[in-house]
Amino acid sequence: MTPAPFDYAAPTSLKEALRLLDNRSADPKILAGGHSLLPLMKLRLAAPGVLVDLRRVPDLRGIQAGDGRLVIGAMTRYVDLEGSPLLHEHAPILAQAAGLVGDAQVRNRGTIGGAIAHADPAGDMPAVICCLDASLHLASPRGERTVPATEFFRDIFETALSEDEILTHISLPIPSTPPAQHYVKFRRRMCDWAIVGASVSVTCDDERITACRVFLTNVGPIPTRATAVESALEGRNPTAETISQAARGAGADLSPSSELNGSADYKRHLAGVTCSRALQDALGIGRA
Amino acid sequence: MRIALTVNGERQEIDVEPRLLLVHLLRDHLGRTGTHIGCDTSNCGACTILLDGDAVKSCTLLAVQADGCAITTIEGLASGSQMHPVQEAFWDNHGLQCGFCTPGMIMAAVALLDRTPRPSEEEIKRGLEGNLCRCTGYVNIIRSVQAAAEALDRSGSVPAA
């Protein structure tokens, strides 16, 4: 399978990349790791006029801490997220979830920014960054702006990115106390996409759950916040009983679409199962 | 578009169409047919090569994305008639049946051992999860990687790639 013909550019500055992207008549498209875009182009489901490869743009790779936040370059690969000591310390769910994407070869190429901009409902990164209350930093010839992850995803493969904007960085608040986090990805085989996934981040004081965020993957067009689960947990003692009660409510308000890998009912069931397992693993409470 | 890259230590400069896939550059333009095309959808791993030391699926990269990079294919592992320890281990342990997946398996195994010199069985399975063997010869493939790890450990040598 060969893509339709296109032109290719690998600019060496963000300014140049933005200029190329702004030339709308050339029908440009940003290329990051290419592991979602190239398969689409090979199937001729996408046929951009010019690919603007960000691989030579400086400062879009790597993870840094400063001013109470972690800043992750959009071109940072899954393999780099997986092994990052900063993430293991401050946002372990992101390192853990990155290790569940695709396979070793895919993780050597795929990038966090590419996955977020692509906004596949079955992708792992969107729900995880929502769970982490991340902010997305966008640049365009008009300037820069920041959009909360929870407002970035609009519909299947649709985001707040304008045609002339590039996602440059993802930033996360560094929590004052280490939160208990876990991502559970339910799939039938390794390398598969999530049929359903659950991202949880829980903060506890000595006795009680003081805050929690729970976001689900692939039960709707965009990451879905499990508010019923969150409110059933907040203020409660983190016990096996609390978790199973709370997780039971995860599927109630969902209207997922049926697909080859699972019917809507099955996905609603999996929402409860994945929430329960993610909470158990995050809080270190043994699975029943 | 003119690109320059190193393939198995040899510098190559070549004019390519931007849409040329890296695997086609290697096979059709540079004659390195040891890299196989299996699924052509980045599932099977038969086209795995090393790009600047990382295992990647060359069916899901454009040749132009490898401009300025160093590539190792299965042909680049042996030195003369001396096979690479991972190749040797696949031979000794019957790590192949039809052989179609083998170049990709070996390249993925070389990358795995480079990063994880003494992998557990679980780590080997995880490291090779992107490579499919339709003969389902996985048991001997895992055994081969374990044997290669031991051989490399004994010799104290670092994989060539």
Side-chain angles (χ1 to χ4, degrees), chain A residues 184-228:
Chain A
V184 166
K185 177 176 186 172
F186 193 92
R187 49 185 171 173
R188 292 190 304 135
R189 297 166 304 193
M190 290 169 103
C191 308
D192 275 352
W193 296 86
I195 302 175
V196 171
S199 326
V200 306
S201 180
V202 183
T203 311
C204 300
D205 63 14
D206 291 341
E207 286 179 1
R208 278 191 289 272
I209 295 169
T210 53
C212 72
R213 291 172 72 87
V214 181
F215 281 81
L216 300 168
T217 301
N218 208 26
V219 294
I222 62 171
T224 305
R225 189 164 194 171
T227 45

Coordinates of all heavy atoms in Angstrom, one line a residue, chain A residues 184-228:
Chain A
V184 N -6.2 1.0 33.7 CA -6.4 -0.3 33.2 C -7.0 -0.3 31.8 O -7.9 0.5 31.5 CB -7.5 -1.0 34.2 CG1 -8.0 -2.3 33.5 CG2 -6.8 -1.4 35.5
K185 N -6.4 -1.1 31.0 CA -6.7 -1.1 29.5 C -7.3 -2.5 29.3 O -6.5 -3.5 29.4 CB -5.5 -0.8 28.7 CG -5.7 -0.9 27.2 CD -4.4 -0.5 26.5 CE -4.6 -0.4 25.0 NZ -3.4 0.2 24.3
F186 N -8.5 -2.6 29.0 CA -9.1 -4.0 28.7 C -9.1 -4.3 27.2 O -9.6 -3.5 26.4 CB -10.5 -4.1 29.2 CG -11.0 -5.5 29.3 CD1 -10.8 -6.3 30.4 CD2 -11.5 -6.1 28.2 CE1 -11.2 -7.6 30.4 CE2 -11.9 -7.4 28.2 CZ -11.8 -8.2 29.3
R187 N -8.4 -5.3 26.8 CA -8.3 -5.7 25.4 C -8.1 -7.2 25.4 O -7.8 -7.8 26.4 CB -7.1 -5.0 24.8 CG -5.8 -5.2 25.6 CD -4.7 -4.4 25.0 NE -3.5 -4.4 26.0 CZ -2.3 -3.9 25.7 NH1 -2.1 -3.4 24.5 NH2 -1.4 -4.0 26.6
R188 N -8.4 -7.8 24.2 CA -8.4 -9.2 24.2 C -6.9 -9.7 23.9 O -6.6 -10.8 24.3 CB -9.3 -9.7 23.1 CG -10.8 -9.5 23.5 CD -11.7 -10.2 22.6 NE -11.5 -9.8 21.2 CZ -11.5 -10.6 20.2 NH1 -11.6 -11.9 20.3 NH2 -11.3 -10.1 19.0
R189 N -6.2 -9.0 23.2 CA -4.8 -9.4 22.9 C -3.9 -8.2 23.1 O -4.3 -7.1 23.0 CB -4.7 -9.8 21.4 CG -5.5 -11.0 21.0 CD -5.5 -11.1 19.5 NE -6.0 -9.8 18.9 CZ -6.4 -9.7 17.7 NH1 -6.3 -10.7 16.8 NH2 -6.9 -8.5 17.2
M190 N -2.6 -8.5 23.4 CA -1.6 -7.5 23.5 C -1.6 -6.8 22.1 O -1.9 -7.4 21.1 CB -0.2 -8.1 23.7 CG 0.0 -8.7 25.1 SD 1.5 -9.7 25.2 CE 2.5 -8.5 26.1
C191 N -1.2 -5.5 22.1 CA -1.1 -4.7 20.9 C -2.5 -4.2 20.5 O -2.6 -3.3 19.6 CB -0.5 -5.3 19.7 SG 1.1 -6.1 20.0
D192 N -3.6 -4.7 21.0 CA -4.9 -4.2 20.6 C -5.2 -2.9 21.2 O -4.5 -2.5 22.1 CB -6.0 -5.2 21.0 CG -6.2 -6.3 20.1 OD1 -5.7 -6.3 19.0 OD2 -7.0 -7.2 20.4
W193 N -6.2 -2.2 20.6 CA -6.7 -1.0 21.2 C -7.5 -1.3 22.4 O -8.0 -2.5 22.5 CB -7.6 -0.2 20.2 CG -6.8 0.2 19.0 CD1 -6.6 -0.5 17.8 CD2 -6.2 1.5 18.8 NE1 -5.9 0.3 16.9 CE2 -5.7 1.5 17.5 CE3 -6.2 2.7 19.5 CZ2 -5.0 2.6 17.0 CZ3 -5.5 3.8 19.0 CH2 -4.9 3.7 17.7
A194 N -7.8 -0.4 23.2 CA -8.7 -0.6 24.4 C -10.1 -0.8 23.9 O -10.6 -0.1 23.1 CB -8.6 0.6 25.3
I195 N -10.7 -1.9 24.4 CA -12.2 -2.0 24.2 C -12.8 -1.0 25.2 O -13.7 -0.2 24.8 CB -12.7 -3.4 24.5 CG1 -11.9 -4.4 23.6 CG2 -14.2 -3.5 24.3 CD1 -12.3 -5.9 23.9
V196 N -12.3 -1.0 26.4 CA -12.6 0.0 27.4 C -11.4 0.2 28.3 O -10.7 -0.7 28.5 CB -13.8 -0.3 28.3 CG1 -14.0 0.6 29.4 CG2 -15.1 -0.4 27.5
G197 N -11.1 1.4 28.7 CA -10.0 1.7 29.6 C -10.5 2.6 30.7 O -11.5 3.3 30.6
A198 N -9.8 2.5 31.9 CA -10.2 3.4 33.0 C -8.9 4.0 33.6 O -8.0 3.3 33.9 CB -10.9 2.6 34.1
S199 N -8.9 5.3 33.7 CA -7.8 6.1 34.4 C -8.3 6.6 35.7 O -9.3 7.3 35.7 CB -7.3 7.3 33.5 OG -7.5 7.1 32.2
V200 N -7.5 6.3 36.7 CA -7.9 6.9 38.0 C -6.7 7.5 38.7 O -5.6 7.1 38.6 CB -8.6 5.8 39.0 CG1 -9.7 5.1 38.3 CG2 -7.5 4.8 39.5
S201 N -7.0 8.6 39.4 CA -6.0 9.3 40.2 C -6.7 9.7 41.5 O -7.7 10.4 41.5 CB -5.5 10.5 39.5 OG -4.5 11.2 40.3
V202 N -6.2 9.2 42.6 CA -6.9 9.3 43.9 C -5.9 9.9 44.9 O -4.8 9.5 45.0 CB -7.4 8.0 44.5 CG1 -8.1 8.1 45.8 CG2 -8.2 7.2 43.4
T203 N -6.4 10.9 45.7 CA -5.6 11.5 46.8 C -6.3 11.2 48.1 O -7.5 11.4 48.2 CB -5.5 13.0 46.6 OG1 -5.1 13.3 45.3 CG2 -4.4 13.6 47.6
C204 N -5.5 10.7 49.0 CA -6.1 10.3 50.3 C -5.4 11.1 51.5 O -4.2 11.4 51.3 CB -5.9 8.8 50.6 SG -6.7 7.7 49.4
D205 N -6.1 11.4 52.5 CA -5.4 11.8 53.8 C -5.3 10.5 54.6 O -5.3 9.4 54.1 CB -6.1 13.0 54.5 CG -7.5 12.6 55.0 OD1 -7.8 11.4 55.0 OD2 -8.3 13.5 55.3
D206 N -5.1 10.6 55.9 CA -4.8 9.4 56.7 C -6.0 8.4 56.6 O -5.7 7.2 56.6 CB -4.6 9.8 58.2 CG -3.3 10.6 58.4 OD1 -2.5 10.5 57.4 OD2 -3.2 11.3 59.4
E207 N -7.2 8.9 56.5 CA -8.3 8.0 56.5 C -9.1 8.0 55.2 O -9.6 6.9 54.8 CB -9.2 8.3 57.6 CG -8.7 7.9 59.0 CD -9.6 8.3 60.1 OE1 -10.7 8.9 59.8 OE2 -9.2 8.0 61.3
R208 N -9.3 9.2 54.7 CA -10.3 9.3 53.6 C -9.8 9.7 52.3 O -8.7 10.2 52.1 CB -11.4 10.3 54.1 CG -12.4 9.8 55.0 CD -13.5 10.8 55.2 NE -13.1 11.9 56.0 CZ -13.1 12.0 57.3 NH1 -13.6 10.9 58.0 NH2 -12.7 13.0 57.9
I209 N -10.6 9.4 51.3 CA -10.3 9.8 49.9 C -10.7 11.3 49.9 O -11.9 11.6 50.1 CB -11.1 9.0 48.9 CG1 -10.6 7.6 48.9 CG2 -11.0 9.6 47.5 CD1 -11.5 6.6 48.1
T210 N -9.7 12.2 49.6 CA -10.0 13.6 49.6 C -10.3 14.1 48.2 O -11.0 15.1 48.1 CB -8.9 14.4 50.2 OG1 -7.7 14.1 49.5 CG2 -8.7 14.1 51.7
A211 N -9.8 13.5 47.2 CA -10.1 13.9 45.8 C -9.8 12.8 44.9 O -9.0 11.9 45.2 CB -9.1 15.1 45.5
C212 N -10.6 12.7 43.8 CA -10.3 11.7 42.8 C -10.8 12.1 41.5 O -11.7 12.9 41.4 CB -10.9 10.3 43.2 SG -12.6 10.2 43.1
R213 N -10.1 11.6 40.5 CA -10.5 11.9 39.1 C -10.6 10.5 38.4 O -9.6 9.8 38.4 CB -9.6 12.8 38.4 CG -9.6 14.3 38.9 CD -8.5 15.1 38.3 NE -8.7 15.5 36.9 CZ -9.4 16.5 36.5 NH1 -10.0 17.3 37.4 NH2 -9.6 16.8 35.2
V214 N -11.7 10.3 37.6 CA -11.8 9.0 36.9 C -12.3 9.3 35.5 O -13.3 10.0 35.3 CB -12.8 8.1 37.7 CG1 -13.0 6.8 36.9 CG2 -12.5 7.9 39.1
F215 N -11.5 8.9 34.5 CA -11.9 9.1 33.1 C -11.8 7.8 32.4 O -10.9 7.0 32.6 CB -11.0 10.1 32.5 CG -11.3 11.5 32.8 CD1 -10.9 12.1 34.0 CD2 -12.1 12.3 31.9 CE1 -11.2 13.4 34.3 CE2 -12.4 13.6 32.2 CZ -12.0 14.2 33.4
L216 N -12.8 7.5 31.5 CA -12.9 6.3 30.8 C -12.5 6.5 29.3 O -12.7 7.5 28.7 CB -14.3 5.8 30.8 CG -14.9 5.5 32.3 CD1 -16.3 5.2 32.2 CD2 -14.1 4.3 32.8
T217 N -11.9 5.4 28.8 CA -11.5 5.4 27.3 C -12.5 4.6 26.5 O -12.9 3.5 27.0 CB -10.1 4.7 27.2 OG1 -9.2 5.4 28.0 CG2 -9.7 4.6 25.8
N218 N -12.9 5.1 25.4 CA -13.7 4.3 24.4 C -15.1 3.9 24.8 O -15.6 2.9 24.4 CB -12.9 3.1 24.0 CG -13.3 2.6 22.5 OD1 -13.7 3.5 21.7 ND2 -13.1 1.4 22.2
V219 N -15.7 4.7 25.6 CA -17.1 4.5 25.9 C -18.0 5.7 25.4 O -19.1 5.8 25.7 CB -17.4 4.3 27.4 CG1 -16.8 3.1 27.9 CG2 -16.9 5.5 28.2
G220 N -17.3 6.5 24.6 CA -18.0 7.7 24.0 C -17.1 8.3 23.0 O -15.9 7.8 22.8
P221 N -17.5 9.3 22.3 CA -16.6 9.9 21.3 C -15.3 10.6 21.8 O -14.3 10.7 21.1 CB -17.5 11.0 20.6 CG -18.6 11.2 21.5 CD -18.8 10.0 22.4
I222 N -15.4 11.0 23.1 CA -14.3 11.6 23.7 C -14.1 11.0 25.1 O -15.0 10.3 25.6 CB -14.5 13.2 23.8 CG1 -15.7 13.5 24.7 CG2 -14.6 13.8 22.4 CD1 -15.9 15.0 25.0
P223 N -13.0 11.3 25.8 CA -12.8 10.8 27.2 C -14.0 11.1 28.0 O -14.5 12.2 28.0 CB -11.5 11.5 27.7 CG -10.8 11.8 26.4 CD -11.8 12.1 25.4
T224 N -14.5 10.1 28.8 CA -15.7 10.3 29.5 C -15.4 10.3 31.0 O -14.8 9.4 31.6 CB -16.6 9.1 29.2 OG1 -16.8 9.1 27.8 CG2 -18.0 9.3 29.9
R225 N -15.8 11.4 31.7 CA -15.6 11.5 33.1 C -16.6 10.7 33.9 O -17.8 10.8 33.6 CB -15.7 13.0 33.5 CG -15.2 13.2 35.0 CD -15.0 14.6 35.3 NE -14.2 14.7 36.5 CZ -13.7 15.8 37.0 NH1 -13.8 16.9 36.3 NH2 -13.1 15.8 38.2
A226 N -16.2 9.8 34.7 CA -17.1 9.0 35.5 C -17.4 9.7 36.8 O -17.0 9.4 37.9 CB -16.5 7.6 35.8
T227 N -18.3 10.7 36.7 CA -18.6 11.6 37.9 C -19.3 10.8 39.0 O -19.1 11.1 40.1 CB -19.5 12.8 37.4 OG1 -20.5 12.3 36.6 CG2 -18.7 13.8 36.7
A228 N -20.1 9.8 38.6 CA -20.8 9.0 39.6 C -19.8 8.3 40.5 O -20.0 8.2 41.7 CB -21.8 8.1 39.0

